[in-house]
Amino acid sequence: MDKSHRIRQCLQQLAQLIFRHAPTNGTHATAIPTLSFMHATELTEPLESVYKPSICVVAQGAKTATLADKTYIYNPSAYLVTSVELPIIGEIIDASPEVPYLSLKLSFEADIILDIVKEMNAPVPSLSLESSQAITVNRTSPELLDAIIRLLSLLDHPGDIPVLAPLFIREILYRVLQSEQGAAIQQFANVGSYAYNIAKAIQLINRKYDRPLAIDQLASSVNMSTSAFHKHFKRVTTMSPLQYQKTVRLQEARRLMLTETLQAADAAFRVGYESPSQFSREYARKYGRPPKLDIKELRGSLK
């Protein structure tokens, strides 16, 4: 059996498994804490969220992930990997009632990556290597899909999950590290590398996004000079640290107004703005509409 035929067979089986455990529209949690499914029968508006380190594999349909001004497409032939927390705009671009969009997201910790790398006896990238972007698209392989199918099959045997799920997840990550982008992903688990330090800084920003950002202190906290910090932060995230924080703030404010019905000024103060007028200007610059009108339009589109 040739490789392309194996991949098609695996994708069919994967779609059946996802559909069985996620038979309706929406995001579905599973008995495996780091695994979730998405089922959609129609195209979506661009939706924002912070993607944690994760692997996103599509069995049917297609989706885009936009980070700053760069858009990535992933579908059954290519899967997405995010190596750090990133504020991403996701949009399902191929879905229908007849052929719904079906995908999975498997989150992971950098420590597991480093542990697997040690067992692989692969050469550890030099700490002086230029950092890579924290979002990559990789070609799907039958070996990866086989491992994912074994993981998903555990959902029919929940008693096996505590023992076997960690083993299958390690195999999935091993296959990801063997991909053409494996070395780039590995950097983020390599303690002391530029990519690792930036990942730590991103965690700090996300935990305290509502507080003023002192770049010099943040750079020092991850043992980097301010100039090197700026350079590698932009290489990893495609944004400056301040742009990253602003994106996270605006996304969270939008969520607060949409789901918790906060007024614009209240949402602005909650995410760290001192001036509601500055918040409104930056919000309109990012979303093309002032907060009140934008939320009204969003609510209308979600009905």
Side-chain angles (χ1 to χ4, degrees), residues 101-291:
Y101 170 85
L102 298 171
S103 71
L104 65 91
K105 180 183 286 186
L106 180 68
S107 59
F108 61 86
E109 298 291 337
D111 291 349
I112 301 177
I113 296 289
L114 187 59
D115 200 31
I116 295 169
V117 169
K118 289 177 181 176
E119 291 186 12
M120 288 170 64
N121 288 321
V124 176
S126 169
L127 297 183
S128 62
L129 280 179
E130 292 293 309
S131 49
S132 302
Q133 283 196 3
I135 182 168
T136 60
V137 174
N138 308 267
R139 287 192 297 270
T140 305
S141 71
E143 293 80 13
L144 174 68
L145 293 174
D146 282 340
I148 291 172
I149 288 167
R150 286 197 295 279
L151 178 68
L152 269 57
S153 296
L154 292 178
L155 296 173
D156 295 321
H157 306 280
D160 293 337
I161 289 174
V163 173
L164 295 181
L167 302 178
F168 295 158
I169 290 171
R170 286 177 71 86
E171 182 182 355
I172 291 166
L173 293 172
Y174 170 70
R175 297 302 179 188
V176 169
L177 287 168
Q178 289 184 313
S179 72
E180 65 270 25
Q181 303 285 356
I185 296 163
Q186 181 182 338
Q187 283 185 35
F188 292 92
N190 186 13
V191 177
S193 70
Y194 291 130
Y196 179 90
N197 291 341
I198 296 300
K200 290 296 182 186
I202 287 170
Q203 289 178 351
L204 292 172
I205 294 174
N206 282 324
R207 283 205 295 268
K208 301 178 180 179
Y209 66 85
D210 57 337
R211 301 181 192 177
L213 187 61
I215 301 296
D216 292 349
Q217 291 180 15
L218 187 59
S220 177
S221 72
V222 293
N223 301 310
M224 295 179 70
S225 69
T226 303
S227 60
F229 180 73
H230 269 286
K231 172 187 172 183
H232 290 281
F233 196 100
K234 188 153 190 175
R235 190 182 293 273
V236 167
T237 67
T238 75
M239 296 178 255
S240 71
L242 286 172
Q243 286 173 322
Y244 181 96
Q245 183 198 46
K246 183 189 298 184
T247 299
V248 172
R249 282 180 168 184
L250 291 173
Q251 283 192 6
E252 177 62 10
R254 200 185 201 198
R255 186 194 69 78
L256 290 169
M257 289 185 288
L258 185 63
T259 64
E260 299 185 21
T261 64
L262 262 66
Q263 296 298 310
D266 294 330
F269 290 130
R270 179 83 70 87
V271 301
Y273 279 89
E274 296 180 358
S275 165
S277 59
Q278 181 190 359
F279 167 74
S280 293
R281 285 195 303 273
E282 293 185 354
Y283 189 100
R285 194 176 301 125
K286 179 171 176 59
Y287 297 114
R289 299 178 291 224

